[in-house]
PDB file of all heavy atoms in Angstrom:
ATOM      1  N   SER Y  59     -16.835 -45.435   0.407  1.00  0.00           N
ATOM      2  CA  SER Y  59     -17.985 -44.490   0.532  1.00  0.00           C
ATOM      3  C   SER Y  59     -18.604 -44.032  -0.830  1.00  0.00           C
ATOM      4  O   SER Y  59     -19.708 -43.964  -1.035  1.00  0.00           O
ATOM      5  CB  SER Y  59     -17.495 -43.200   1.309  1.00  0.00           C
ATOM      6  OG  SER Y  59     -17.082 -43.544   2.589  1.00  0.00           O
ATOM      7  N   ALA Y  60     -17.619 -43.834  -1.828  1.00  0.00           N
ATOM      8  CA  ALA Y  60     -18.077 -43.506  -3.124  1.00  0.00           C
ATOM      9  C   ALA Y  60     -18.882 -44.594  -3.793  1.00  0.00           C
ATOM     10  O   ALA Y  60     -19.949 -44.294  -4.470  1.00  0.00           O
ATOM     11  CB  ALA Y  60     -16.806 -43.191  -4.007  1.00  0.00           C
ATOM     12  N   ALA Y  61     -18.545 -45.801  -3.528  1.00  0.00           N
ATOM     13  CA  ALA Y  61     -19.374 -46.958  -4.025  1.00  0.00           C
ATOM     14  C   ALA Y  61     -20.650 -46.974  -3.441  1.00  0.00           C
ATOM     15  O   ALA Y  61     -21.663 -47.210  -4.154  1.00  0.00           O
ATOM     16  CB  ALA Y  61     -18.642 -48.299  -3.760  1.00  0.00           C
ATOM     17  N   ARG Y  62     -20.781 -46.622  -2.168  1.00  0.00           N
ATOM     18  CA  ARG Y  62     -22.081 -46.532  -1.589  1.00  0.00           C
ATOM     19  C   ARG Y  62     -22.866 -45.370  -2.168  1.00  0.00           C
ATOM     20  O   ARG Y  62     -24.184 -45.579  -2.377  1.00  0.00           O
ATOM     21  CB  ARG Y  62     -22.038 -46.421   0.003  1.00  0.00           C
ATOM     22  CG  ARG Y  62     -21.603 -47.604   0.639  1.00  0.00           C
ATOM     23  CD  ARG Y  62     -21.902 -47.504   2.170  1.00  0.00           C
ATOM     24  NE  ARG Y  62     -21.029 -46.450   2.763  1.00  0.00           N
ATOM     25  CZ  ARG Y  62     -19.864 -46.585   3.315  1.00  0.00           C
ATOM     26  NH1 ARG Y  62     -19.368 -47.870   3.396  1.00  0.00           N
ATOM     27  NH2 ARG Y  62     -19.274 -45.604   3.881  1.00  0.00           N
ATOM     28  N   GLY Y  63     -22.316 -44.257  -2.386  1.00  0.00           N
ATOM     29  CA  GLY Y  63     -22.921 -43.183  -3.031  1.00  0.00           C
ATOM     30  C   GLY Y  63     -23.496 -43.500  -4.476  1.00  0.00           C
ATOM     31  O   GLY Y  63     -24.567 -43.090  -4.907  1.00  0.00           O
ATOM     32  N   ILE Y  64     -22.671 -44.300  -5.218  1.00  0.00           N
ATOM     33  CA  ILE Y  64     -23.084 -44.717  -6.520  1.00  0.00           C
ATOM     34  C   ILE Y  64     -24.316 -45.619  -6.545  1.00  0.00           C
ATOM     35  O   ILE Y  64     -25.303 -45.517  -7.291  1.00  0.00           O
ATOM     36  CB  ILE Y  64     -21.958 -45.424  -7.349  1.00  0.00           C
ATOM     37  CG1 ILE Y  64     -20.773 -44.346  -7.573  1.00  0.00           C
ATOM     38  CG2 ILE Y  64     -22.445 -46.042  -8.591  1.00  0.00           C
ATOM     39  CD1 ILE Y  64     -19.479 -45.057  -8.183  1.00  0.00           C
ATOM     40  N   ALA Y  65     -24.189 -46.581  -5.461  1.00  0.00           N
ATOM     41  CA  ALA Y  65     -25.353 -47.473  -5.219  1.00  0.00           C
ATOM     42  C   ALA Y  65     -26.628 -46.598  -4.937  1.00  0.00           C
ATOM     43  O   ALA Y  65     -27.736 -46.933  -5.412  1.00  0.00           O
ATOM     44  CB  ALA Y  65     -25.097 -48.514  -4.240  1.00  0.00           C
ATOM     45  N   ASP Y  66     -26.509 -45.662  -4.054  1.00  0.00           N
ATOM     46  CA  ASP Y  66     -27.635 -44.824  -3.741  1.00  0.00           C
ATOM     47  C   ASP Y  66     -28.247 -44.089  -4.890  1.00  0.00           C
ATOM     48  O   ASP Y  66     -29.469 -43.976  -5.087  1.00  0.00           O
ATOM     49  CB  ASP Y  66     -27.243 -43.785  -2.571  1.00  0.00           C
ATOM     50  CG  ASP Y  66     -26.822 -44.413  -1.333  1.00  0.00           C
ATOM     51  OD1 ASP Y  66     -27.336 -45.460  -1.117  1.00  0.00           O
ATOM     52  OD2 ASP Y  66     -26.168 -43.809  -0.610  1.00  0.00           O
ATOM     53  N   ARG Y  67     -27.287 -43.700  -5.779  1.00  0.00           N
ATOM     54  CA  ARG Y  67     -27.883 -42.881  -7.073  1.00  0.00           C
ATOM     55  C   ARG Y  67     -28.638 -43.846  -7.903  1.00  0.00           C
ATOM     56  O   ARG Y  67     -29.669 -43.445  -8.422  1.00  0.00           O
ATOM     57  CB  ARG Y  67     -26.570 -42.406  -7.736  1.00  0.00           C
ATOM     58  CG  ARG Y  67     -26.972 -41.551  -8.961  1.00  0.00           C
ATOM     59  CD  ARG Y  67     -25.797 -40.937  -9.700  1.00  0.00           C
ATOM     60  NE  ARG Y  67     -24.823 -42.013 -10.204  1.00  0.00           N
ATOM     61  CZ  ARG Y  67     -23.616 -41.680 -10.647  1.00  0.00           C
ATOM     62  NH1 ARG Y  67     -23.243 -40.451 -10.839  1.00  0.00           N
ATOM     63  NH2 ARG Y  67     -22.809 -42.662 -11.034  1.00  0.00           N
ATOM     64  N   LYS Y  68     -28.113 -45.113  -8.026  1.00  0.00           N
ATOM     65  CA  LYS Y  68     -28.819 -46.039  -8.837  1.00  0.00           C
ATOM     66  C   LYS Y  68     -30.123 -46.335  -8.308  1.00  0.00           C
ATOM     67  O   LYS Y  68     -31.219 -46.524  -9.007  1.00  0.00           O
ATOM     68  CB  LYS Y  68     -27.927 -47.329  -8.970  1.00  0.00           C
ATOM     69  CG  LYS Y  68     -26.760 -47.202  -9.763  1.00  0.00           C
ATOM     70  CD  LYS Y  68     -25.949 -48.550  -9.901  1.00  0.00           C
ATOM     71  CE  LYS Y  68     -24.601 -48.340 -10.786  1.00  0.00           C
ATOM     72  NZ  LYS Y  68     -23.950 -49.637 -10.916  1.00  0.00           N
ATOM     73  N   GLU Y  69     -30.251 -46.506  -6.990  1.00  0.00           N
ATOM     74  CA  GLU Y  69     -31.547 -46.700  -6.411  1.00  0.00           C
ATOM     75  C   GLU Y  69     -32.578 -45.517  -6.526  1.00  0.00           C
ATOM     76  O   GLU Y  69     -33.574 -45.822  -6.899  1.00  0.00           O
ATOM     77  CB  GLU Y  69     -31.256 -47.011  -4.820  1.00  0.00           C
ATOM     78  CG  GLU Y  69     -32.594 -47.359  -4.029  1.00  0.00           C
ATOM     79  CD  GLU Y  69     -32.507 -47.694  -2.622  1.00  0.00           C
ATOM     80  OE1 GLU Y  69     -31.266 -47.453  -2.130  1.00  0.00           O
ATOM     81  OE2 GLU Y  69     -33.335 -47.830  -1.996  1.00  0.00           O
ATOM     82  N   LEU Y  70     -31.962 -44.404  -6.373  1.00  0.00           N
ATOM     83  CA  LEU Y  70     -32.793 -43.161  -6.623  1.00  0.00           C
ATOM     84  C   LEU Y  70     -33.306 -43.139  -8.024  1.00  0.00           C
ATOM     85  O   LEU Y  70     -34.436 -42.761  -8.330  1.00  0.00           O
ATOM     86  CB  LEU Y  70     -32.011 -41.972  -6.254  1.00  0.00           C
ATOM     87  CG  LEU Y  70     -31.807 -41.536  -4.757  1.00  0.00           C
ATOM     88  CD1 LEU Y  70     -30.874 -40.501  -4.629  1.00  0.00           C
ATOM     89  CD2 LEU Y  70     -33.167 -41.301  -4.046  1.00  0.00           C
ATOM     90  N   LEU Y  71     -32.547 -43.479  -9.019  1.00  0.00           N
ATOM     91  CA  LEU Y  71     -32.837 -43.571 -10.390  1.00  0.00           C
ATOM     92  C   LEU Y  71     -33.997 -44.558 -10.689  1.00  0.00           C
ATOM     93  O   LEU Y  71     -34.884 -44.298 -11.382  1.00  0.00           O
ATOM     94  CB  LEU Y  71     -31.656 -43.741 -11.290  1.00  0.00           C
ATOM     95  CG  LEU Y  71     -30.706 -42.582 -11.387  1.00  0.00           C
ATOM     96  CD1 LEU Y  71     -29.460 -43.028 -12.200  1.00  0.00           C
ATOM     97  CD2 LEU Y  71     -31.347 -41.411 -12.146  1.00  0.00           C
ATOM     98  N   ARG Y  72     -33.819 -45.584 -10.098  1.00  0.00           N
ATOM     99  CA  ARG Y  72     -34.944 -46.713 -10.143  1.00  0.00           C
ATOM    100  C   ARG Y  72     -36.278 -46.079  -9.603  1.00  0.00           C
ATOM    101  O   ARG Y  72     -37.327 -46.409 -10.107  1.00  0.00           O
ATOM    102  CB  ARG Y  72     -34.553 -48.002  -9.439  1.00  0.00           C
ATOM    103  CG  ARG Y  72     -33.492 -48.735 -10.221  1.00  0.00           C
ATOM    104  CD  ARG Y  72     -33.378 -50.166  -9.613  1.00  0.00           C
ATOM    105  NE  ARG Y  72     -33.061 -50.182  -8.286  1.00  0.00           N
ATOM    106  CZ  ARG Y  72     -31.737 -50.248  -7.848  1.00  0.00           C
ATOM    107  NH1 ARG Y  72     -30.814 -50.360  -8.617  1.00  0.00           N
ATOM    108  NH2 ARG Y  72     -31.514 -50.315  -6.564  1.00  0.00           N
ATOM    109  N   LYS Y  73     -36.221 -45.549  -8.323  1.00  0.00           N
ATOM    110  CA  LYS Y  73     -37.339 -44.929  -7.823  1.00  0.00           C
ATOM    111  C   LYS Y  73     -38.019 -43.871  -8.743  1.00  0.00           C
ATOM    112  O   LYS Y  73     -39.169 -43.681  -8.854  1.00  0.00           O
ATOM    113  CB  LYS Y  73     -37.113 -44.349  -6.471  1.00  0.00           C
ATOM    114  CG  LYS Y  73     -36.794 -45.390  -5.359  1.00  0.00           C
ATOM    115  CD  LYS Y  73     -36.572 -44.662  -4.047  1.00  0.00           C
ATOM    116  CE  LYS Y  73     -36.207 -45.817  -2.925  1.00  0.00           C
ATOM    117  NZ  LYS Y  73     -35.963 -45.029  -1.650  1.00  0.00           N
ATOM    118  N   LYS Y  74     -37.012 -42.993  -9.223  1.00  0.00           N
ATOM    119  CA  LYS Y  74     -37.622 -41.965 -10.256  1.00  0.00           C
ATOM    120  C   LYS Y  74     -38.350 -42.561 -11.375  1.00  0.00           C
ATOM    121  O   LYS Y  74     -39.401 -42.121 -11.746  1.00  0.00           O
ATOM    122  CB  LYS Y  74     -36.393 -41.145 -10.766  1.00  0.00           C
ATOM    123  CG  LYS Y  74     -36.783 -39.974 -11.650  1.00  0.00           C
ATOM    124  CD  LYS Y  74     -35.688 -39.163 -12.049  1.00  0.00           C
ATOM    125  CE  LYS Y  74     -36.030 -38.077 -12.998  1.00  0.00           C
ATOM    126  NZ  LYS Y  74     -34.953 -37.191 -13.391  1.00  0.00           N
TER     127      LYS Y  74
END
Side-chain angles (χ1 to χ4, degrees):
S59 297
R62 286 195 296 267
I64 293 171
D66 290 341
R67 182 177 61 185
K68 290 181 179 180
E69 182 179 1
L70 286 171
L71 289 173
R72 286 195 299 271
K73 288 182 179 179
K74 181 177 181 179

